[in-house]
Amino acid sequence: MDMNVKKIDEPRQEAKEVLYASRVKIQPQNISGMFRQLKWATLSVLLALYYGLPWLRWDRGPGVPDQAILADMTGRRLFIFNIEIWPQEIYYLTGLLIIGAIGLFLVTALAGRVWCGFACPQTIWTDLFMLVERWVEGDRNKRMKMDDAPFSLAKLWKRILKHSIWMLIALATGGAWIWYFVDAPTITVDILTGQASSTVYGFIALFTGTTYILAGLAREQVCTYMCPWPRFQGAMFDEDSLIVTYEEWRGEPRGKAKGKELGNLGDCVDCNLCVNVCPTGIDIRQGQQMQCIGCALCIDACNSIMDKLGREPNLIAYDSIANMNARAEGRPAKTRLIRPRIIIYSAMLVMIMAAMVYGLATRANLEINLQRDRSPLFVTLSDGGIRNGYTLKILNMEQRDRVFKLRTGDLPDAMITVIGFEKDGATSVNLPVRADKVGTFRVFVQAPADSLDAEANEMEFVLTDLETGEDADQHTFFYGPKK
Amino acid sequence: MANVEKDAISGQETTGHEWDGIKELNTPMPKWWLYTYYVCIVFAVGYWVVYPAWPTLSSYTKGTGGYSSRGEHDADLAAQKQSRSAWTSKFAAMNVDEIGGDRQLLNYAMAGGKIIFAENCAPCHGTAGSGAPGYPILADDDWIWGGTRDAIHTTVAFGVRSGHDETRESEMPNFLGDEILNKAQIADVAEYIMSLSDGSISSDGVERGAVVFEEQCSACHGEDGKGLPELGGPNLTDAIWLYSKSKEAIATQVSAPKHGVMPAWTGRLSDVEIKQVSLYVHSLGGGQ
């Protein structure tokens, strides 16, 4: 007891405890192997998609953009091939985001952070920037030597060259982003000839800057500190998820064998190549870590060494914790792909996708927005009749001009007058709405006072497409004097 | 302070303040912050020289740059006027009927007219012309002075009993005060007018009232009581009443008439604005 009390009262003895650790620059070594090849392949495909997709054309008829994928900011439409999303249908985008999220959960539960390691833009562009860095400054050892070397013209020249190429790539990245929002061929000419708006140049500068900073300078810090995903990815894993693991049972105790004698040493020769190639600078042999982006380059590294030494490959492998434990205990390893969480994630994914497809397939090609006049609520006319005013907006979401017959339901004696159309009341009025446009009409409905049963009377506007005969209803009220 | 205490861990000086054994560090401002602060001070001095800044006893320092916020505002207004002149010049050259026939010009008139109406007309006539007792409803199809575009334009421009040279002017005689009619006659004529409007059963009163109407009222309200818009005589046979619909209300108006006044808007609004707001009023639902 006395000792404990004494301990608390004792002044802290640590000489100088620094709580802040500055970043240690990571200089990953180049490695070749299966996963490196796979990463180059996904990089090529995804970059080709990024730069190529905006150039795909898709004929939608005259007066409509012919770009296959376009978020038309000025026209307020999202075009994805034959799908055209209006602003009020932006929930489809929410659906896409939910599909993306659940899809991410599913692949993470199956195979760890493959998204982070292979497909995330941060990884793709960092890989690209590192490739440039290696071309200009050489591989890891040369770069580290150069970092330590004193200032020289050669060093300066290489630095300038590297950052210039980075800047060019960043500029191309930022420029291409604009293609998704404005017609690509037109805006490219405008940008190159200085004709584009300052907004366009501003956004190019923004995305150029962020690309340069995130992929060139920040790199793994984006994944470790900025991205929220690593923080909760652990909730997606279970012991059957395939993740990049070090088979500790086989590797330990690590050490360099003297001659051909292994002695009691494991397969790990402690060459540190797996650490050197890691883009986030961690040691996979310490087990699962938040910083690991699952790029599998350490597998390539270790396999290249195991191959040279003539040992079994996959000392570091895509393996599950359950398998690793089984192997350690000499039991047969059996990868379980079908597990409750996989089934649940898949079912959710299928359900949401089905809902999206159903929604898109059956989506209305017409929307009615109706605003009732509130002031005046109703107008008494000289013949004693009651008139209500409405502002009717018809959203024609088809690529053809349409004519709609407007009539009222539930109010048999009502007459319709539309400003700019028939002068006198009629039982129905034909309203033309151009293709892919919104028609706005001022509609007056007039009814004899004695035909109204109450102060607020249920009423419906019925629109009939004259070509197809399809009906669309919009419920509203018709107000009259107090009864 | 001669003996400053240094914190062992961070190496910073302390302020000497201590709470429950916790000491406050005297950490200096970050350098970037401090230098930004100095730059701001230098900038402020330059600002005082170039821009209006300091008050003097009777005026203020004008600055060497020649800037004034009033000048900026005037320039803004002039630029806006310039950009609108493409429209306003057409408005000035055309009459309201011609403008009303051109869909583009009409759209422009609607947009501006709505705002002009809300600022100038809505206090009496209500938003969107919903009216109030004594202030005519502009959304219905009954017009005291006529509901054509041109008639509305004249009413807006010159007003009603406004004192303007070209004002619309009508006056209902003070039938009781000036001893033109007695109370019984007024009661009869009120009954007659009610019957015109809702077709109530004819009675002795109605028949006597019809005679009085013929003699005293038909000159302005018409033989049939349907009003004479050119004289500003309201239609008495319809369902719309400026004050209220009852025998008493009619008798009150005949005995001691109230006369509403509408100001002339010429001089208050520009010619173009008057045309815009007239077209807007015409579109509220009752335009003829």
Side-chain angles (χ1 to χ4, degrees):
Chain A
M1 279 308 281
D2 278 359
M3 277 194 53
N4 279 343
V5 171
K6 208 179 170 191
K7 235 179 183 172
I8 289 166
D9 284 343
E10 248 177 310
R12 287 166 63 171
Q13 288 299 320
E14 305 96 299
K16 202 169 181 187
E17 188 187 35
V18 181
L19 299 171
Y20 175 80
S22 59
R23 178 199 181 205
V24 180
K25 191 171 174 188
I26 296 163
Q27 296 283 21
Q29 186 175 336
N30 187 30
I31 192 76
S32 54
M34 185 180 96
F35 289 106
R36 182 66 266 182
Q37 290 306 317
L38 196 60
K39 268 168 76 71
W40 287 135
T42 48
L43 180 143
S44 315
V45 170
L46 292 174
L47 282 181
L49 283 177
Y50 177 68
Y51 287 106
L53 277 180
W55 297 88
L56 276 184
R57 300 290 104 182
W58 189 271
D59 186 29
R60 297 188 180 87
V64 193
D66 64 346
Q67 187 162 318
I69 295 178
L70 177 70
D72 185 357
M73 296 310 252
T74 39
R76 295 182 188 179
R77 299 280 184 279
L78 175 62
F79 296 103
I80 303 170
F81 296 99
N82 63 339
I83 302 171
E84 181 184 340
I85 307 282
W86 286 48
Q88 68 272 29
E89 296 179 302
I90 205 69
Y91 48 78
Y92 284 116
L93 194 64
T94 318
L96 274 181
L97 291 176
I98 293 173
I99 288 176
I102 308 252
L104 200 56
F105 296 170
L106 177 62
V107 294
T108 305
L110 272 177
R113 289 171 63 183
V114 280
W115 162 262
C116 303
F118 293 85
C120 176
Q122 175 63 26
T123 288
I124 302 274
W125 265 272
T126 303
D127 255 7
L128 193 61
F129 275 46
M130 283 180 180
L131 182 66
V132 171
E133 193 169 56
R134 205 165 63 242
W135 279 343
V136 177
E137 297 180 345
D139 205 0
R140 173 180 158 91
N141 291 338
K142 276 194 174 174
R143 290 202 303 269
M144 285 166 71
K145 215 179 267 173
M146 201 173 106
D147 282 351
D148 294 337
F151 174 82
S152 72
L153 277 180
K155 184 174 172 179
L156 180 71
W157 155 244
K158 282 187 173 174
R159 287 275 195 259
I160 291 176
L161 182 64
K162 177 179 83 173
H163 285 278
S164 309
I165 300 176
W166 278 2
M167 218 19 135
L168 279 178
I169 296 175
L171 199 60
T173 309
W177 187 243
I178 304 296
W179 292 342
Y180 285 89
F181 299 91
V182 198
D183 184 59
T186 321
I187 198 68
T188 307
V189 174
D190 286 355
I191 290 170
L192 295 178
T193 54
Q195 302 293 306
S197 69
S198 55
T199 317
V200 166
Y201 288 117
F203 272 105
I204 293 178
L206 177 69
F207 294 118
T208 304
T210 47
T211 308
Y212 175 78
I213 290 169
L214 296 186
L217 308 180
R219 293 195 177 171
E220 84 288 346
Q221 299 175 93
V222 175
C223 310
T224 311
Y225 301 111
M226 288 167 69
C227 182
W229 176 227
R231 309 271 158 182
F232 64 93
Q233 51 154 335
M236 313 299 153
F237 291 161
D238 57 18
E239 67 276 16
D240 288 308
S241 302
L242 291 168
I243 45 177
V244 179
T245 48
Y246 167 64
E247 310 272 333
E248 200 179 325
W249 60 275
R250 210 187 112 190
E252 299 296 318
R254 65 185 80 155
K256 289 187 172 59
K258 292 189 177 77
K260 291 268 176 192
E261 281 303 307
L262 265 177
N264 66 339
L265 290 179
D267 277 338
C268 175
V269 291
D270 206 11
C271 66
N272 253 12
L273 190 60
C274 56
V275 180
N276 292 349
V277 300
C278 179
T280 65
I282 56 166
D283 185 348
I284 192 67
R285 292 171 300 176
Q286 288 169 2
Q288 269 303 294
Q289 288 150 79
M290 194 204 74
Q291 290 94 328
C292 176
I293 58 168
C295 69
L297 289 180
C298 50
I299 302 182
D300 281 348
C302 193
N303 279 349
S304 74
I305 297 295
M306 291 296 112
D307 188 42
K308 263 182 217 160
L309 296 175
R311 294 180 190 173
E312 285 284 304
N314 293 336
L315 177 57
I316 302 174
Y318 258 111
D319 205 0
S320 68
I321 303 288
N323 279 356
M324 201 177 79
N325 289 341
R327 285 188 234 275
E329 291 165 16
R331 288 184 283 114
K334 189 163 163 285
T335 304
R336 281 175 66 223
L337 284 182
I338 299 166
R339 309 184 311 263
R341 70 173 62 202
I342 302 294
I343 296 169
I344 292 168
Y345 287 144
S346 306
M348 284 164 76
L349 203 56
V350 168
M351 266 157 48
I352 295 164
M353 281 170 144
M356 282 273 284
V357 169
Y358 176 80
L360 277 171
T362 59
R363 71 200 265 255
N365 50 14
L366 169 74
E367 192 165 313
I368 307 170
N369 288 345
L370 186 71
Q371 208 183 352
R372 246 193 59 83
D373 286 3
R374 294 213 172 85
S375 172
L377 202 54
F378 63 89
V379 172
T380 306
L381 298 174
S382 51
D383 64 358
I386 305 300
R387 193 185 64 203
N388 280 212
Y390 304 84
T391 303
L392 176 70
K393 283 189 179 175
I394 303 175
L395 283 65
N396 178 9
M397 294 153 82
E398 279 192 24
Q399 294 298 346
R400 62 180 175 94
D401 295 350
R402 292 159 90 184
V403 180
F404 298 96
K405 188 171 97 171
L406 173 72
R407 61 190 165 86
T408 61
D410 291 348
L411 210 61
D413 299 320
M415 302 291 252
I416 304 173
T417 308
V418 180
I419 297 274
F421 290 80
E422 269 102 320
K423 192 70 196 157
D424 298 304
T427 49
S428 72
V429 182
N430 290 341
L431 305 174
V433 186
R434 303 231 336 266
D436 199 35
K437 288 276 181 296
V438 181
T440 305
F441 305 95
R442 277 290 288 160
V443 180
F444 289 122
V445 177
Q446 194 176 327
D450 51 20
S451 74
L452 303 177
D453 304 324
E455 198 182 344
N457 304 275
E458 306 259 348
M459 194 188 91
E460 255 174 5
F461 278 115
V462 185
L463 283 173
T464 311
D465 185 326
L466 283 188
E467 204 169 304
T468 63
E470 283 174 286
D471 277 349
D473 295 350
Q474 174 67 48
H475 181 265
T476 183
F477 284 94
F478 186 93
Y479 280 87
K482 280 202 172 72
K483 287 283 172 185
Chain B
M1 276 198 289
N3 56 343
V4 278
E5 190 187 2
K6 282 212 171 182
D7 174 57
I9 292 171
S10 64
Q12 291 294 350
E13 290 172 10
T14 69
T15 57
H17 306 156
E18 186 176 336
W19 295 272
D20 294 343
I22 300 169
K23 290 174 181 171
E24 187 188 17
L25 288 184
N26 191 11
T27 310
M29 287 288 175
K31 285 278 188 294
W32 69 265
W33 193 96
L34 202 63
Y35 292 139
T36 311
Y37 179 64
Y38 291 145
V39 169
C40 288
I41 293 175
V42 174
F43 178 86
V45 174
Y47 190 96
W48 297 339
V49 176
V50 178
Y51 283 93
W54 289 98
T56 60
L57 278 181
S58 59
S59 177
Y60 57 91
T61 57
K62 298 280 192 295
T64 58
Y67 172 85
S68 84
S69 51
R70 177 180 286 270
E72 191 183 8
H73 174 251
D74 288 347
D76 264 7
L77 279 187
Q80 212 161 67
K81 209 171 171 183
Q82 178 64 33
S83 75
R84 286 178 183 170
S85 65
W87 294 97
T88 50
S89 62
K90 283 186 193 166
F91 271 71
M94 293 161 88
N95 68 34
V96 278
D97 274 328
E98 289 166 342
I99 298 166
D102 183 323
R103 195 158 273 270
Q104 269 196 313
L105 289 177
L106 185 62
N107 277 342
Y108 186 84
M110 288 298 113
K114 188 174 181 180
I115 292 161
I116 298 164
F117 188 90
E119 284 175 355
N120 298 285
C121 317
C124 291
H125 289 289
T127 43
S130 50
Y135 301 99
I137 300 168
L138 303 178
D140 63 22
D141 58 348
D142 181 42
W143 299 90
I144 298 171
W145 291 98
T148 61
R149 291 192 186 101
D150 196 46
I152 295 171
H153 180 247
T154 307
T155 309
V156 175
F158 306 121
V160 178
R161 305 176 196 102
S162 65
H164 191 276
D165 290 343
E166 294 177 66
T167 182
R168 293 200 185 276
E169 187 82 58
S170 71
E171 196 180 346
M172 178 141 160
N174 193 343
F175 284 101
L176 188 68
D178 295 344
E179 293 176 2
I180 305 167
L181 296 173
N182 61 35
K183 278 194 173 174
Q185 286 172 309
I186 289 172
D188 289 342
V189 86
E191 207 168 332
Y192 172 70
I193 290 167
M194 282 300 283
S195 78
L196 284 179
S197 172
D198 58 14
S200 56
I201 321 112
S202 84
S203 63
D204 292 350
V206 170
E207 275 165 30
R208 288 197 301 273
V211 179
V212 178
F213 187 88
E214 173 79 44
E215 286 170 4
Q216 301 291 345
C217 314
S218 60
C220 292
H221 290 287
E223 300 268 325
D224 51 3
K226 290 199 167 157
L228 293 172
E230 49 278 20
L231 299 175
N235 184 344
L236 303 176
T237 65
D238 63 17
I240 297 165
W241 297 90
L242 183 56
Y243 294 99
S244 72
K245 180 194 175 186
S246 73
K247 212 174 128 179
E248 292 72 38
I250 294 166
T252 306
Q253 179 67 2
V254 174
S255 309
K258 283 188 264 184
H259 296 106
V261 173
M262 163 147 160
W265 292 92
T266 304
R268 297 172 202 241
L269 296 176
S270 73
D271 177 42
V272 173
E273 286 171 325
I274 290 173
K275 283 177 179 167
Q276 281 180 287
V277 79
S278 303
L279 286 162
Y280 174 74
V281 169
H282 184 264
S283 79
L284 287 174
Q288 290 160 357

